[in-house]
C-alpha cells in the first residue's frame, strides 16, 4: 500500500483529450520527465493508486497529455479527471538536481543555531517572489537559498539559518 509520506504532489488531471484515453495533466513539477519513472500515483477516493505511463507529450510548460496503460477509452479517462497526481519520493531522491518545492512538503525545519525543530512544512506559498514555507504550527519561514544550509532527503529535514527575531514574530 502506498502511503502519503512516500509520495509528493506534482499536479492534477484535467479534461480528457480525444477518444483513445488521453487526459491532460496540469503539473507543478516535471519530475516524471527528468527521472526515469514508469508510473505516477493518483489519489482515487482517498486511496493512492499507481498508474503506469504508456506515453506523454507536452502541450506547454505546465500541461502535458498523458496516456496511462489500460486506459484506452474516453470514458475510462473521464473517470480519472480531477484526480490529484503524486510522484514517488524514492524515485525523486535519485535525481541529481535540487528538489522542487513541492517535494519539500512534509520535511522538518531545523534551526542551525541550536538544532531545535521549528516545524514541519505543510504547504508552500509561491504566489509572490518571496516564497514561504507554511509550517504545521502556523509559522511562515522564507524559503530562501541564503537561509537553507542543508536539505537531507534521507531524513526529510532542512537545516536553516533562521535570522534573529524571526521566530518571535
Amino acid at each position: 500500500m502506498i502511503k502519503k509520506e512516500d509520495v509528493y504532489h506534482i499536479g492534477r488531471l484535467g479534461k480528457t483529450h480525444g477518444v483513445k484515453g488521453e487526459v491532460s495533466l496540469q503539473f507543478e513539477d516535471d519530475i516524471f520527465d527528468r527521472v526515469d519513472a514508469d508510473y505516477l500515483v493518483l489519489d482515487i477516493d482517498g486511496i493512492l493508486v499507481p498508474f503506469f505511463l504508456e506515453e506523454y507529450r507536452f502541450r506547454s510548460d505546465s500541461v502535458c497529455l498523458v496516456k496511462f496503460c489500460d486506459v484506452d477509452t474516453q470514458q475510462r479517462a473521464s473517470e480519472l479527471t480531477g484526480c490529484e497526481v503524486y510522484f514517488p519520493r524514492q524515485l525523486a531522491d535519485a535525481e541529481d538536481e535540487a528538489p522542487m518545492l513541492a517535494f519539500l512538503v512534509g520535511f522538518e525545519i531545523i534551526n542551525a543555531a541550536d538544532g531545535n525543530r521549528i516545524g514541519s512544512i505543510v504547504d508552500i506559498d509561491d504566489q509572490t517572489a518571496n516564497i514561504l514555507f507554511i509550517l504545521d504550527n502556523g509559522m511562515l519561514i522564507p524559503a530562501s537559498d541564503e537561509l537553507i544550509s542543508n536539505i537531507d532527503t534521507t531524513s526529510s529535514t532542512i537545516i536553516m539559518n533562521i535570522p534573529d527575531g524571526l521566530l518571535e514574530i
Side-chain angles (χ1 to χ4, degrees):
M1 185 163 121
I2 301 172
K3 298 178 190 159
K4 197 79 157 190
E5 57 268 12
D6 296 335
V7 296
Y8 75 98
H9 187 262
I10 63 166
R12 181 183 186 101
L13 294 181
K15 299 186 291 185
T16 60
H17 181 80
V19 295
K20 299 200 186 221
E22 283 186 314
V23 64
S24 66
L25 166 61
Q26 292 187 292
F27 58 89
E28 300 146 9
D29 186 344
D30 65 352
I31 185 82
F32 60 92
D33 189 48
R34 298 189 318 266
V35 173
D36 188 25
D38 295 330
Y39 66 97
L40 296 176
V41 178
L42 304 184
D43 184 336
I44 299 180
D45 298 327
I47 299 171
L48 298 175
V49 180
F51 276 77
F52 287 87
L53 292 164
E54 189 172 306
E55 64 183 7
Y56 61 88
R57 55 192 163 105
F58 288 93
R59 298 287 295 223
S60 71
D61 290 346
S62 61
V63 176
C64 71
L65 296 177
V66 177
K67 171 77 174 70
F68 293 110
C69 293
D70 300 323
V71 178
D72 296 324
T73 65
Q74 183 179 14
Q75 172 63 29
R76 179 69 178 112
S78 69
E79 295 170 5
L80 302 177
T81 61
C83 287
E84 299 297 328
V85 181
Y86 296 87
F87 193 80
R89 286 186 186 274
Q90 180 181 6
L91 296 176
D93 286 345
E95 186 183 29
D96 292 335
E97 295 180 27
M100 297 293 284
L101 288 174
F103 179 79
L104 301 176
V105 171
F107 276 52
E108 298 285 325
I109 302 290
I110 307 295
N111 190 349
D114 57 16
N116 288 334
R117 176 189 181 274
I118 306 300
S120 178
I121 300 171
V122 294
D123 201 2
I124 295 173
D125 180 354
D126 59 357
Q127 300 301 312
T128 65
N130 297 321
I131 298 170
L132 299 170
F133 292 136
I134 301 171
L135 304 185
D136 56 352
N137 57 15
M139 195 172 285
L140 302 175
I141 303 289
S144 168
D145 288 340
E146 293 83 33
L147 299 180
I148 298 172
S149 61
N150 186 37
I151 298 176
D152 186 344
T153 58
T154 304
S155 65
S156 298
T157 57
I158 301 173
I159 309 296
M160 295 188 71
N161 297 304
I162 308 293
D164 291 335
L166 181 65
L167 300 177
E168 284 79 41
I169 296 177

